[in-house]
Amino acid sequence: MGVVDHFSHYFDCSHGSSKLKKRRQLQTVEVKVRIDCEGCERKVKRAVEGMKGVKQVDVERKANKVTVVGYVEPSKVVSRIAHRTGKKAEIWPYVPYDVVAHPYAPGVYDRKAPAGYVRRADDPQVSQIARASSFEVRYTTAFSDENTQACAIM
């Protein structure tokens, strides 16, 4: 099998990249879409179900969230929803509250986020705002009640 396959690539006359095509990975795509009623929910679900490679579609109307599982690209799912429904669609910008170190930092906390979620902080400046520097940590822990060796005068 090895020798024949090796030589078959040299003598392939199709000039197509069909054999060397990269397979898409099964992935879950979460999209934020404004969904007001059952009609909107049906419209969004039908728009996504018609895509090639889609295995499962879940719509959460209260959270304005559509979850698509399949062999699809996230950008294509977003553009398909926006084109077919006429609604503004974007990749789900929220993460669970427990994942973020400082959920009330500016740029992370979002009042419009569903319950239990905060905005994803991919921007390094936003994530650095909430973190204390080593200089600050050293002085705040020096006079802490938990640190018995902190200060002999106390």
Side-chain angles (χ1 to χ4, degrees):
M1 176 159 177
V3 175
V4 175
D5 286 335
H6 182 69
F7 283 117
S8 68
H9 290 296
Y10 292 117
F11 298 112
D12 188 16
C13 298
S14 64
H15 297 293
S17 61
S18 61
K19 288 184 180 179
L20 303 175
K21 218 176 204 182
K22 188 169 67 170
R23 288 201 45 128
R24 294 184 195 160
Q25 296 293 320
L26 181 72
Q27 56 184 316
T28 303
V29 180
E30 296 175 329
V31 182
K32 179 183 175 186
V33 183
R34 175 83 184 215
I35 302 171
D36 300 321
C37 60
E38 287 183 29
C40 297
E41 183 178 340
R42 234 185 344 251
K43 196 177 195 182
V44 170
K45 192 168 186 173
R46 284 186 183 160
V48 178
E49 281 178 339
M51 287 183 70
K52 184 179 176 183
V54 172
K55 299 294 180 194
Q56 179 183 359
V57 179
D58 293 322
V59 179
E60 297 176 36
R61 190 180 348 161
K62 280 199 169 203
N64 291 323
K65 179 179 179 181
V66 178
T67 305
V68 180
V69 178
Y71 300 97
V72 292
E73 293 179 28
S75 60
K76 288 186 178 180
V77 173
V78 170
S79 63
R80 174 86 173 224
I81 291 172
H83 182 266
R84 289 278 176 107
T85 63
K87 295 181 172 288
K88 182 184 172 203
E90 62 178 315
I91 298 291
W92 186 250
Y94 305 115
V95 293
Y97 182 83
D98 304 337
V99 175
V100 180
H102 301 284
Y104 292 107
V108 176
Y109 179 72
D110 188 3
R111 287 187 348 204
K112 295 179 184 177
Y117 288 96
V118 292
R119 189 164 283 281
R120 181 179 295 138
D122 293 334
D123 186 17
Q125 282 189 327
V126 171
S127 60
Q128 288 297 326
I129 291 173
R131 292 201 177 111
S133 66
S134 62
F135 180 75
E136 292 169 341
V137 170
R138 187 173 42 206
Y139 283 109
T140 55
T141 57
F143 296 103
S144 174
D145 290 337
E146 286 86 30
N147 187 0
T148 56
Q149 304 297 324
C151 183
I153 298 171
M154 277 177 85

